[in-house]
Amino acid sequence: MQAGFQVPLKAKRLVSEFYLFLVVLLFILAVSDLMVGVSNDAVNFLNSAIGSKVAPRHIIMIVASIGIIVGATFSSGMMEVARKGIFVPDNFAFAEIMVIFLAVMITDIILLDFFNTFGMPTSTTVSIVFELLGAACAVALFKTLSEGGSLGTIVEYINISQALTIIAGIFLSVLVAFSVGVLVQYLSRALLSFQYERRLKGIGALWAGLALTAIGYFILIKGLKGASFVSDAAYAYVREHSVLILVLSFVVWSALLQLLLTLFKINVLRLVVLFGTFALAMAFAGNDLVNFIGVPIAGFESFLLWQNSGRDATDFTMEALNQPVRTSTILLLLAGLIMVVTLWLSKKARTVTETEVNLGRQDEGAERFAPNALARWLVRAALSGSRLLQAAIPQNWLTALDKRFRPLRQAMERNDRDSNPPAFDLVRASVNLTVASILISFATSVKLPLSTTYVSFMVAMGASLADRAWGRDSASYRVAGVLNVITGWLFTALIAFGCAFLFAALVYYFSIWAVAALLLLATGLIIRTFWLHKSRERENAAERSSLQAAETTGGAALLHETSDAAAASLVAVRKAYTEVVAALEGEDRRQLRRVRQDVAALRKQNDRLQRSLYRSLQRLRDRESSDGRLLLLIYELEQDLLLNATLVAEHSLDHVDNAHLPLQEFQVATLARLQQLIASYLSFIIDQLQAKEFGAAALDKLASDKQRIFAVIEDAIAQQVSGLQNGQISARNSKLFFALLLKTKNLTAIGARFVKILHRAREDSPRLLLKMENTGV
């Protein structure tokens, strides 16, 4: 079988134009890959600056943009990864190389866009490495089979030692980065404490000078290596005089910062964070640009080599890719500009950044990730180890350290008043950036490959742990979040390898038809994830607005909001009950699933609002404590109400899903009657909540309506028991019907409690209800 693309054209010119089209396609895919890649990798250099609110967002973005442009020109030497780092180009023909490169680019776009949509940071380095590995293995396998060779010869096509070194270095960086982040942050906090403003006057210049020296050296080592405009002699000079450069940098930086601190009262940590943001943005562009345009550039170079050879595409092998090539600075700058534009415009970049910032924030709040068994075990093990360690340390030492790790009360109160406070302070932000810079520059100096995403993320998580941001009330959630991200990294490798292998196989056998189909697939998936992300953004924006309102409003306004939220829950339950009865009669599984999902989403939202309520109660004045008790009761009733509505939907769905016998005529008639009564009953309660009317007359009417519903339920229960005893009704039918009747009874009783509680509050303290009547929405 002929390898690579099967081009049904004999004319050399037309064949050349066909491969030129593929090269152009690679560059078009590269633009898309730049966009989705920047959206994911932006978290590496924006996390610390945005999380600490070191400056307005537009200033942070300008600093990062300059770093990207500068770093883009430093990327030339990194392009070798795509050319020869994973596979052996000598053993592949030009046509086969194009199969590999196309499969890699299409896979990378789909994979990174998927992670961006769900706000999960991943490594573009890992994705490109495993995509190259997967596609190269596929082509090597099918080429070997077509030539009748042994499967053992496949290893000759792959640069096994280099691939293993890259993979080992990347995953080793996870453990090292986390450990170093924990150690440095612990020492930094012990030295500076949370009252760092006062301590900066004495040691701030030295501490910041050390940080800027490390970041500056990182720029030199990481940036100059392989830069398209820096000679090898200049880079060698920097390496040979590293100690002298470090000492001079420390002296100059410390003196300059002490001057700024003394004369202008400038917070030197802000300079560290902004300079570090620039440095990491530069490193990102310098290190990860290869992940997006390295493959198209290698494809273009391969095309030029093949075109000048005058040989057939299936016979011309690519030994020339082993030779180093300097990429055009203009091309690198163009790629950098695309990255900057994407950074400013991409909403998915914000989503990914929020994930890491929230996992490292100092205070409590709504947690995105649910705890799992492994996270709980790790937290319990850490607590046990902490107790053993504390037992070995003198108590006076522990007391002194505890004071340094205790956030200032004034800062906590200031954060409570701020609807969107910093996630952590400038000390942690500067540690994140400095440690990440040191680790990346050290790895580069010893030629150890690593993932900037993994290093940046794990340093940030280690610093969060050392800073006691993962308290006992949030540790299980935060650890679960970190484990989810790490699991996502592992899946990145597996999915990248598997998809690239599959796509390369399809392109190898079906040529341009497979390319067209895969492009349509990628386009469809990107459009779908775009609308999915937009929908999630709308939901998150509405939820953030509700949470901020709940956390910042006072007692009166909060009481008003809570009453309105309770009315909204009752409206949702009324709608859900009506739809369940109709769907159960028609055995509509799809409708029952939709109802269950809607009620579950409402329960989840109510749970988050309840957590925000607890934060709001901390800010209520003593004279408003009765307001807080009332709010808690209302929210608990809401949860009970939604729980029973969920069970009504789940019992009905389980019955229909298992294709059990439908309800009998008297059961359908009973549920229809109950649906009418419940709708009228809940509508009355909703009107009372919205009008803030909780008088004795309302209670009397409510009691009368409740008894009417209870009477219908009791009659239905008696009839059901009789039918069950006579063998006219099955046990499964009875299980469903009894559950529906009892949950309906619970819904009725809970609805009555809403009005009773508010009526009692009115009787006990008219001030509460007066505030509700006078408070605007």
Side-chain angles (χ1 to χ4, degrees):
M1 178 183 293
Q2 189 182 24
F5 289 99
Q6 311 298 312
V7 185
L9 301 169
K10 296 182 179 180
K12 173 67 177 177
R13 185 179 64 83
L14 292 180
V15 173
S16 178
E17 290 178 355
F18 170 75
Y19 281 110
L20 179 59
F21 163 74
L22 295 182
V23 171
V24 172
L25 179 60
L26 282 176
F27 277 99
I28 293 174
L29 292 172
V31 173
S32 301
D33 205 25
L34 276 169
M35 293 178 179
V36 296
V38 172
S39 297
N40 197 280
D41 274 357
V43 65
N44 299 337
F45 50 86
L46 293 178
N47 163 52
S48 296
I50 290 177
S52 63
K53 291 185 176 292
V54 66
R57 189 180 183 92
H58 69 277
I59 298 297
I60 297 172
M61 297 290 280
I62 291 172
V63 171
S65 300
I66 296 173
I68 288 175
I69 293 296
V70 174
T73 63
F74 293 168
S75 293
S76 183
M78 299 300 296
M79 297 297 168
E80 306 304 311
V81 174
R83 293 159 49 85
K84 60 179 181 177
I86 303 302
F87 57 83
V88 181
D90 310 50
N91 297 328
F92 291 97
F94 169 65
E96 296 160 350
I97 287 288
M98 296 302 290
V99 171
I100 294 173
F101 288 164
L102 279 170
V104 166
M105 292 304 296
I106 295 173
T107 302
D108 206 48
I109 292 172
I110 294 175
L111 182 62
L112 293 181
D113 186 68
F114 174 81
F115 274 89
N116 292 344
T117 299
F118 292 95
M120 297 290 286
T122 191
S123 171
T124 55
T125 303
V126 167
S127 65
I128 201 72
V129 165
F130 279 90
E131 285 156 5
L132 286 167
L133 187 61
C137 285
V139 173
L141 173 63
F142 298 124
K143 180 178 180 179
T144 301
L145 293 177
S146 65
E147 295 175 352
S150 169
L151 293 179
T153 60
I154 294 177
V155 296
E156 298 175 2
Y157 293 85
I158 308 300
N159 195 338
I160 298 294
S161 60
Q162 179 73 1
L164 290 177
T165 301
I166 292 174
I167 294 169
I170 287 172
F171 287 102
L172 179 63
S173 65
V174 172
L175 180 60
V176 173
F178 185 81
S179 303
V180 176
V182 170
L183 177 62
V184 175
Q185 177 61 34
Y186 188 87
L187 295 176
S188 300
R189 186 62 72 190
L191 177 66
L192 297 174
S193 79
F194 278 95
Q195 306 177 48
Y196 60 88
E197 288 92 347
R198 289 187 299 179
R199 298 181 184 275
L200 286 180
K201 297 177 182 178
I203 59 175
L206 294 176
W207 195 92
L210 181 63
L212 290 179
T213 298
I215 295 172
Y217 183 71
F218 159 71
I219 291 177
L220 285 175
I221 293 298
K222 190 67 179 174
L224 297 183
K225 183 181 180 182
S228 56
F229 56 84
V230 176
S231 65
D232 293 338
Y235 180 72
Y237 178 86
V238 172
R239 290 292 304 274
E240 291 172 4
H241 298 83
S242 294
V243 176
L244 178 61
I245 292 173
L246 287 171
V247 173
L248 289 177
S249 295
F250 177 69
V251 173
V252 171
W253 277 121
S254 298
L256 178 61
L257 292 172
Q258 186 63 53
L259 187 66
L260 293 174
L261 190 63
T262 303
L263 298 181
F264 303 101
K265 309 299 181 183
I266 292 177
N267 188 334
V268 293
L269 292 184
R270 293 187 183 276
L271 298 178
V272 173
V273 173
L274 289 175
F275 192 53
T277 300
F278 166 84
L280 274 188
M282 188 207 74
F284 154 71
N287 187 76
D288 290 359
L289 190 59
V290 62
N291 302 336
F292 314 126
I293 68 170
V295 167
I297 289 176
F300 180 61
E301 292 170 357
S302 301
F303 171 77
L304 294 178
L305 292 169
W306 165 74
Q307 192 176 47
N308 294 330
S309 71
R311 296 170 58 185
D312 188 84
T314 58
D315 296 329
F316 179 66
T317 53
M318 303 306 300
E319 298 90 345
L321 288 182
N322 288 313
Q323 303 303 318
V325 175
R326 291 278 179 177
T327 306
S328 167
T329 302
I330 299 298
L331 184 60
L332 294 173
L333 283 174
L334 181 61
L337 288 174
I338 295 174
M339 295 164 75
V340 168
V341 172
T342 304
L343 181 67
W344 282 84
L345 300 180
S346 174
K347 292 184 178 179
K348 291 185 178 181
R350 293 194 178 199
T351 303
V352 180
T353 303
E354 287 173 1
T355 298
E356 185 169 326
V357 170
N358 287 335
L359 283 175
R361 70 178 184 273
Q362 191 71 37
D363 60 338
E364 298 176 12
E367 302 291 347
R368 175 181 171 185
F369 298 95
N372 53 50
L374 180 57
R376 297 187 187 99
W377 180 86
L378 288 173
V379 170
R380 288 195 296 270
L383 287 173
S384 300
S386 175
R387 294 189 189 99
L388 292 176
L389 186 62
Q390 289 177 0
I393 299 177
Q395 185 60 42
N396 57 336
W397 289 17
L398 292 175
T399 303
L401 281 173
D402 185 65
K403 291 180 180 179
R404 292 179 177 272
F405 281 85
R406 190 179 301 154
L408 290 174
R409 180 66 185 174
Q410 301 94 305
M412 294 173 65
E413 292 175 351
R414 187 166 58 249
N415 286 351
D416 283 341
R417 292 192 298 269
D418 188 353
S419 61
N420 189 23
F424 40 81
D425 65 8
L426 293 173
V427 173
R428 176 125 65 92
S430 58
V431 167
N432 288 347
L433 293 164
T434 303
V435 173
S437 299
I438 292 174
L439 291 177
I440 295 172
S441 59
F442 173 76
T444 302
S445 67
V446 297
K447 299 181 180 181
L448 177 67
L450 48 71
S451 165
T452 54
T453 297
Y454 291 4
V455 170
S456 301
F457 181 84
M458 295 309 296
V459 166
M461 295 303 100
S464 302
L465 175 63
D467 220 18
R468 299 186 182 180
W470 297 358
R472 293 190 62 168
D473 286 338
S474 62
S476 295
Y477 303 92
R478 306 284 177 88
V479 173
V482 174
L483 292 176
N484 283 345
V485 172
I486 294 176
T487 302
W489 294 347
L490 298 176
F491 275 104
T492 297
L494 295 176
I495 296 171
F497 182 92
C499 287
F501 186 98
L502 175 61
F503 291 173
L506 293 174
V507 174
Y508 188 90
Y509 278 110
F510 299 105
S511 189
I512 194 65
W513 301 108
V515 174
L518 291 174
L519 288 175
L520 287 175
L521 173 65
T523 303
L525 290 175
I526 289 174
I527 292 174
R528 178 175 176 80
T529 55
F530 170 80
W531 288 111
L532 176 61
H533 183 266
K534 194 169 184 178
S535 174
R536 288 163 61 92
E537 277 293 291
R538 281 197 300 267
E539 293 174 2
N540 291 338
E543 181 181 314
R544 282 193 295 268
S545 177
S546 300
L547 292 176
Q548 288 178 5
E551 291 183 4
T552 56
T553 51
L558 193 58
L559 198 59
H560 191 285
E561 294 289 336
T562 304
S563 179
D564 287 346
S569 295
L570 288 167
V571 170
V573 169
R574 180 184 61 188
K575 178 175 178 288
Y577 193 89
T578 300
E579 292 178 347
V580 165
V581 171
L584 191 57
E585 182 180 0
E587 298 186 85
D588 188 344
R589 290 184 303 158
R590 184 174 300 176
Q591 177 70 11
L592 288 170
R593 286 197 183 96
R594 189 158 49 244
V595 172
R596 184 180 63 176
Q597 291 171 356
D598 291 344
V599 178
L602 193 59
R603 284 184 66 194
K604 189 175 181 181
Q605 179 183 353
N606 190 69
D607 188 54
R608 285 191 290 261
L609 287 171
Q610 190 175 34
R611 287 196 295 268
S612 297
L613 171 65
Y614 296 147
R615 291 171 59 87
S616 300
L617 293 179
Q618 294 175 339
R619 293 190 295 275
L620 292 181
R621 297 179 293 273
D622 290 341
R623 64 177 181 271
E624 295 179 314
S625 59
S626 55
D627 302 39
R629 290 193 294 272
L630 177 61
L631 295 173
L632 286 174
L633 286 173
I634 292 176
Y635 268 107
E636 287 300 325
L637 285 177
E638 276 191 81
Q639 285 292 72
D640 290 343
L641 185 79
L642 295 172
L643 173 61
N644 280 275
T646 301
L647 293 174
V648 167
E650 287 181 348
H651 285 305
S652 302
L653 177 60
D654 182 69
H655 187 87
V656 175
D657 226 6
N658 290 312
H660 295 319
L661 290 172
L663 297 179
Q664 297 187 9
E665 290 185 9
F666 90 90
Q667 295 171 327
V668 172
T670 298
L671 289 178
R673 173 62 177 154
L674 284 174
Q675 184 272 320
Q676 293 175 351
L677 293 173
I678 286 290
S680 175
Y681 180 77
L682 294 181
S683 296
F684 176 74
I685 297 175
I686 292 166
D687 292 340
Q688 294 295 304
L689 287 172
Q690 291 174 342
K692 311 299 181 292
E693 303 248 354
F694 312 104
L699 279 181
D700 293 340
K701 182 180 186 317
L702 202 65
S704 174
D705 291 345
K706 184 178 74 170
Q707 291 306 317
R708 188 179 300 113
I709 294 173
F710 282 3
V712 174
I713 292 174
E714 292 301 327
D715 289 344
I717 290 175
Q719 191 172 356
Q720 183 74 12
V721 170
S722 176
L724 184 62
Q725 291 173 339
N726 297 332
Q728 298 173 350
I729 301 175
S730 67
R732 295 195 183 280
N733 177 287
S734 297
K735 178 183 177 182
L736 170 66
F737 197 57
F738 281 138
L740 294 177
L741 293 175
L742 294 176
K743 300 311 171 189
T744 302
K745 191 172 184 179
N746 289 344
L747 289 173
T748 306
I750 293 169
R753 290 194 200 111
F754 273 113
V755 179
K756 287 181 179 179
I757 287 175
L758 292 170
H759 173 75
R760 190 181 309 125
R762 182 169 192 162
E763 294 295 320
D764 295 343
S765 179
R767 176 185 60 83
L768 294 179
L769 276 300
L770 181 63
K771 285 195 297 184
M772 292 178 65
E773 293 166 1
N774 295 333
T775 302
V777 178

